[in-house]
Amino acid sequence: LHEVPGITDIPATLRGFSERILDYQADSWTTHVSGHPPGALLTFVWLDRLGLSGGAWAATLCVLVGTSAAVAVVLTLGVLGDEDMARRAAPFVAIAPAAIWIAVSADAFYAGVAAWGIALLAVSTKRWLWPASIGAGVLLGFGIYLNYGLVLMGLPAVAVLIAGRKVLPFLGAVIGALLVAGIFTAYGFWWYDGYELVQERYYQGIAKDRPFEYWGWANFAALFCALGIAVPAAFPRIAARVQPINLLVLGGLAAVVMADLSQLSKAETERIWLPFAMWMLIAPAVLPRRTHRFWLALQVIGALAVNHLLFTNW
């Protein structure tokens, strides 16, 4: 939001966006703007242009879109034919400790956009093939212009296609994603250039003081603060069978492993990995139904403990 008032010419901003990514320049972007593609900044610029300026409206957008990810995740599971598991997963998604960070971070907005992209992809495997698949591609394509790391949402997308046993939706999604990429490229922002520069900017900051030997493991500890203890408790059962819920959870887990190994995520993964975490929150649905109240209670206790006993900065 600090940068929004300075954006008076959107096409010019896109043309010169990459030039301002590196630090120690007179006009360097602030940390969070430089660390993301321009779609993140433009989201709040567009909101401002609509007359909805300031932190309150920005927060409202992030919370509404972020919490809607819970609906998208459960809908995806139901569309893929696992209606019973969708109903069993819904309470775990709704009361996850991740709600703490969904309420305070633009990463919640990214999570919502990505989740609805995956949901539309799931819908396209059953009905409305081309409209839904192209819509999925548009949302997922826009996602990688919100956050470089959302390119890893390709892994949950593959899980959906495997579960839906369809290949054609992939073509529609590619078309939709290329439309978004074409617009940003035509206005002067080349995604790969930004990605290369942001890696350099990343190590100009505090990341150089965060050793991977520690954060390679601590990232998962931070993530599990958002997921809650019921999620890792369900992992042994997730690996035991091949069905839609298992594939979606494994897709989310594979994404966080890849994000971790990239060494471009060190700390703060309780919020940074929210787009991937949403697909892991459904895991406890596979636990025995008679134990669900116990695990739900632990999730609530964990969330309250984090919120009341820890100073999270977010």
Side-chain angles (χ1 to χ4, degrees):
L1 295 180
H2 173 77
E3 301 281 12
V4 168
I7 309 301
T8 56
D9 186 332
I10 291 177
T13 298
L14 287 173
R15 286 193 301 271
F17 190 87
S18 295
E19 297 171 4
R20 298 174 61 183
I21 290 176
L22 295 182
D23 207 354
Y24 309 121
Q25 304 176 85
D27 61 349
S28 294
W29 295 117
T30 51
T31 300
H32 285 90
V33 173
S34 68
H36 294 79
L41 172 61
L42 290 184
T43 295
F44 299 103
V45 171
W46 292 328
L47 201 63
D48 180 71
R49 296 291 194 274
L50 291 171
L52 306 176
S53 58
W57 285 113
T60 299
L61 175 70
C62 292
V63 170
L64 288 177
V65 177
T67 53
S68 77
V71 179
V73 169
V74 174
L75 173 68
T76 300
L77 200 50
V79 167
L80 291 175
D82 220 340
E83 189 72 33
D84 180 59
M85 280 296 178
R87 292 178 181 277
R88 293 169 66 174
F92 288 101
V93 179
I95 64 169
I100 297 167
W101 293 280
I102 285 175
V104 294
S105 167
D107 293 280
F109 175 73
Y110 313 151
V113 171
W116 282 107
I118 297 294
L120 279 178
L121 189 64
V123 169
S124 72
T125 65
K126 305 300 179 183
R127 61 183 78 92
W128 307 326
L129 170 62
W130 295 110
S133 63
I134 292 173
V138 168
L139 288 178
L140 293 172
F142 184 56
I144 70 169
Y145 286 89
L146 293 172
N147 184 325
Y148 292 104
L150 288 192
V151 71
L152 293 174
M153 286 305 299
L155 295 169
V158 168
V160 165
L161 295 175
I162 294 172
R165 300 180 180 181
K166 294 284 178 65
V167 175
L168 277 179
F170 172 76
L171 297 178
V174 168
I175 292 170
L178 287 177
L179 287 173
V180 176
I183 292 171
F184 275 94
T185 303
Y187 275 96
F189 176 76
W190 180 240
W191 186 91
Y192 192 76
D193 284 348
Y195 176 69
E196 288 284 296
L197 288 166
V198 84
Q199 293 180 68
E200 189 174 343
R201 171 66 184 255
Y202 185 67
Y203 286 102
Q204 287 181 316
I206 197 173
K208 66 179 182 294
D209 299 320
R210 291 174 172 173
F212 181 72
E213 292 77 8
Y214 174 79
W215 286 106
W217 301 103
N219 283 341
F220 289 98
L223 173 66
F224 286 127
C225 287
L227 292 175
I229 196 169
V231 172
F235 280 170
R237 290 175 178 266
I238 288 294
R241 296 177 61 187
V242 178
Q243 55 184 0
I245 187 170
N246 301 56
L247 290 169
L248 291 172
V249 173
L250 290 173
L253 180 59
V256 299
V257 170
M258 292 296 290
D260 191 60
L261 293 176
S262 75
Q263 300 189 39
L264 294 174
S265 292
K266 295 176 184 172
E268 305 172 34
T269 52
E270 67 278 8
R271 65 171 182 86
I272 294 171
W273 287 352
L274 279 175
F276 314 131
M278 297 305 302
W279 301 96
M280 301 166 70
L281 290 174
I282 57 178
V286 304
L287 294 168
R289 183 171 288 186
R290 67 180 183 278
T291 67
H292 279 199
R293 290 189 178 185
F294 167 77
W295 289 112
L296 285 167
L298 280 187
Q299 293 291 84
V300 171
I301 292 169
L304 291 173
V306 167
N307 211 29
H308 290 285
L309 301 179
L310 300 180
F311 182 65
T312 65
N313 283 321
W314 298 98

